Amino acid sequence: MGRPSALVGDYERLRQLCPVLRLHLLDPAEPDPAAADGWYSGARLAADEQALAAVLAGEEARIAAEHGRAPRPHVTASRLLHHYAWSVCLLIAGPWHLARRVPRIDPADLWLHAPTGALALRPRGAATLPGDDELRAELRAAVVAHLEPVLAAFTGPTRRRDRALWGMVTDDLASAVWYLGRMLDAAGTDAAGTAALAGTAVLAGTAVLAGTAGEDAAVAAAGALLPGGTLPLPGAADFRRLRTPDGREHHTRTRLGCCLYYAVKPEALACLTCPRTCDEERLRRF
């Protein structure tokens, strides 16, 4: 396992690249965030119904404040789990995509702040393996190991069974890598640098197009990471391109399940990757 200090650098870069990631990195001597201040570890969410109720209440309050009404309880639970799972996927896949390191994040080392949804992480170490296939397998195993007990706790509140919950994780893992690629483009990473960071683009035989090097490399990386048949993750990344009349090509995929954003904000359009959105509608919105 690599030293935590290397991971700290990865996470500092990840925070700079990803503005939606509200993450506090804990120093080795820093005390654990306290439940009295609204912080609950993933391990506690998995084992303590009162802790789970507290973070669900925080999510409901945030949704009500933003949208003017509280959603149904299973929608609140699904949205909170999506936030937590997507963040875990980004925190594990980010160092892999940026530096070929795969962190093993114990649920006891990641905290969720009930009032705000922010995260706190105590980095430990990471695996650095010589082969790309081995690293991908390590990444999938790290995601599954962290989220398995958390998903079990959310089964009742979300009204979703195992396959649907692992489908959400598959979607969130593909989405997290894709998002990071777009953020690398926004930060101006050059094509050669991005391809070097995510060498899977070359292995997958995907051309890197000018101006979208980060996204193209990330889509190829996600496709190689999630080819299908990697249970309990039940599906593949399955990215494809759609061409608009101006000749431009756009990456897209269809999620394995709905994220229920429409149930939070009914007047909003369904997400571009929603199973409810057809390709004709995606092309129109592109």
Side-chain angles (χ1 to χ4, degrees):
M1 298 289 283
R3 293 182 301 170
S5 57
L7 271 179
V8 170
D10 295 340
Y11 285 131
E12 292 289 1
R13 186 174 182 213
L14 202 61
R15 288 196 301 189
Q16 293 172 359
L17 286 167
C18 303
V20 302
L21 183 62
R22 292 172 294 159
L23 176 67
H24 173 66
L25 291 175
L26 296 167
D27 294 329
E30 194 171 349
D32 290 350
D37 296 322
W39 291 97
Y40 298 93
S41 71
R44 188 163 178 187
L45 295 182
D48 185 339
E49 291 184 358
Q50 290 185 333
L52 184 58
V55 296
L56 288 171
E59 179 73 5
E60 181 182 88
R62 286 192 298 277
I63 292 174
E66 183 175 354
H67 299 290
R69 62 172 189 158
R72 288 170 291 173
H74 77 280
V75 174
T76 296
S78 293
R79 293 300 300 170
L80 180 64
L81 180 58
H82 165 61
H83 165 63
Y84 185 89
W86 185 89
S87 301
V88 168
C89 289
L90 183 60
L91 291 172
I92 296 175
W96 165 76
H97 193 59
L98 295 172
R100 295 180 56 81
R101 279 186 281 269
V102 176
R104 280 275 184 166
I105 301 177
D106 192 285
D109 288 329
L110 181 66
W111 289 262
L112 178 68
H113 192 226
T116 65
L119 299 163
L121 172 66
R122 190 182 302 283
R124 299 289 185 182
T128 53
L129 301 172
D132 288 312
D133 287 341
E134 291 86 349
L135 271 176
R136 294 186 196 106
E138 177 71 16
L139 193 160
R140 291 190 297 266
V143 168
V144 169
H146 184 107
L147 287 174
E148 191 166 30
V150 178
L151 295 192
F154 273 87
T155 299
T158 60
R159 300 183 189 173
R160 300 193 190 195
R161 297 190 180 275
D162 282 355
R163 182 175 177 83
L165 292 173
W166 285 115
M168 178 191 291
V169 174
T170 304
D171 287 331
D172 285 341
L173 183 51
S175 174
V177 177
W178 188 14
Y179 168 76
L180 179 54
R182 295 197 301 270
M183 293 304 98
L184 284 165
D185 281 334
T189 300
D190 63 272
T194 304
L197 287 172
T200 47
V202 177
L203 292 174
T206 299
V208 176
L209 303 181
T212 60
E215 183 179 10
D216 288 336
V219 164
L225 175 64
L226 294 167
T230 55
L231 294 176
L233 304 173
D238 275 342
F239 280 95
R240 61 188 186 279
R241 293 178 186 267
L242 296 178
R243 185 188 297 270
T244 47
D246 62 3
R248 296 178 62 194
E249 291 189 333
H250 304 264
H251 292 291
T252 192
R253 66 181 295 270
T254 299
R255 294 177 60 91
L256 298 175
C258 179
C259 72
L260 296 183
Y261 182 67
Y262 80 93
V264 171
K265 189 176 181 181
E267 69 275 16
L269 294 171
C271 302
L272 270 174
T273 55
C274 182
R276 301 162 69 234
T277 305
C278 65
D279 281 354
E280 289 77 9
E281 171 65 9
R282 297 178 197 209
L283 285 167
R284 187 186 69 78
R285 286 161 64 180
F286 283 143

